[in-house]
Amino acid sequence: MQPVPLHSLSELERASLQEIALYQLQEKLLLGDLSLAKDCSPQTFGIPLSQVIANDRAHRQLQEAVRSSRRLCLEVEATVRTFQAQRLQRMGRSLVPCGALPEEPLPPALPSTESWRQRRGAMSVDSITDLSDNTSKLLEALQLSHPHELGPQRSLGKKKMLSLNPISWQVPRIVDRCCKHTEMHGLHTVGIFRVGSSKKRVQQLREEFDRGLDVFLDEHHSVHDVAALLKEFLRDMPDPLIPRELYSAFLSTASMAGTAQLGALQLLLFLLPPCHSDTLRRLLRFLARVARHAQGSRRPDGREIPGNKMTVSNLATIFGPNVLQKERPGEKDAAAVNYEDSAAIILVLQRLIEHHQTLFMVSPEMQQHILRRLFQTDPDIIEYLLRRRLRAAPSTESEDSREEHAPSLLPGWTCTLENSSLSSELYSSTSFLNLDVGI
């Protein structure tokens, strides 16, 4: 086995990973009696991150519906125009006897909604209930879960079937677009995140996002305005990227050093809900890229390229209080953080920025722990999970594109051995399952 990205694990594997990480952290006495953090379920600012993701998803579905409607209207219009042109041609060419009217051909039948859907090759999720029981259950098991759907099902006491596919990449539009805008236009801007912005323009952008508008940030938007917008979004989240239940545990890692510190931080990151984990990783990758341009450089022609002066330490100082919050925004003493906590917050975020590429990877040993645990509870799905991992070809895509799309999946649940090579790999991968499970 090789280390794999956290977001490549299936929903079932991530749930098992959270339980293992929680157990190991409690063994290290970093956590007491703590239940796993759950996604909140209540258009952008001051609401739970999971709801922001749900709103973005609804926005994308609405856009797709509008585009589909426009395509259908254009097709209908083209069909009517073709029919009218053909009719005029026939009327011009044929000799019509006196008192007789030309026979009008019937207009072509418009495509029904069902035929339109079939022609596009898509199946609506809403149509699952119209399928047979076996097909319905299979599709439900393979559907990617979303945070806002988990709460109501858990509250009703229903046992949710966890998916065997990776959870979709969950980063809010506003975070991704602010990061991309700064990466494109602001990496060489001196004092980015420190220089003041226009409160009026930032407020306007904020209101546009809150109204659910499709806001595009381009070169006409001030880099400092976009930077302030990103900080405001993180600051106003009712539940910060790192949940408050884990605040003390993350700060306790500041007194550690070396591999012990990184190991504890990694286990704590495994406890984050998927939308928090994905958004935090996107933010850390962005901050690391900003820090790489802190120092000035020279072009091949000798011209100087200014640095932005934002080192990892400077970025951790600015973003630390927004990512790690002890009190809710607006509460008494929310901005009052003692010196020891402030220093620990900066140090922890520094480590997260510096090591973000490895902290979100799942080691082969941890993968074995996950499979051992699942072998006890769901032995039938072990073969499927191993086959999906063994057949996953190494990706040549960039890190950005890999994270925005779910990893490739096998076409079906079950399959037979196709060659001895895969069989031997599968055997070697499952040989450790006969060992005693220590977790």
Side-chain angles (χ1 to χ4, degrees), residues 343-401:
I345 288 173
I346 295 171
L347 180 60
V348 168
L349 194 57
Q350 273 189 255
R351 295 293 176 269
L352 292 177
I353 296 172
E354 293 167 346
H355 301 279
H356 74 279
Q357 290 182 323
T358 56
L359 288 175
F360 288 88
M361 298 294 289
V362 183
S363 68
E365 294 76 19
M366 184 60 77
Q367 294 177 57
Q368 291 182 1
H369 282 312
I370 294 171
L371 291 174
R372 285 173 183 164
R373 192 176 191 88
L374 292 177
F375 186 69
Q376 291 184 321
T377 58
D378 301 275
D380 296 338
I381 53 89
I382 295 296
E383 181 181 348
Y384 170 79
L385 294 175
L386 284 171
R387 285 183 181 278
R388 178 168 64 80
R389 192 160 299 159
L390 290 174
R391 293 191 180 191
S395 176
T396 57
E397 297 177 283
S398 66
E399 187 178 7
D400 290 1
S401 59

Side-chain angles (χ1 to χ4, degrees), residues 132-191:
S132 64
D133 288 342
N134 290 336
T135 309
S136 174
K137 291 178 181 177
L138 178 61
L139 285 178
E140 286 175 357
L142 291 176
Q143 287 300 320
L144 299 180
S145 65
H146 294 271
H148 71 290
E149 297 171 353
L150 301 180
Q153 293 193 20
R154 288 173 178 168
S155 63
L156 292 174
K158 295 180 180 179
K159 183 179 179 182
K160 180 183 181 295
M161 184 181 294
L162 297 178
S163 171
L164 297 185
N165 288 337
I167 299 174
S168 58
W169 182 242
Q170 298 177 3
V171 177
R173 278 183 308 144
I174 184 172
V175 173
D176 194 49
R177 291 186 180 180
C178 286
C179 291
K180 286 181 177 179
H181 179 273
T182 307
E183 288 168 343
M184 186 171 294
H185 304 289
L187 290 180
H188 300 288
T189 302
V190 179

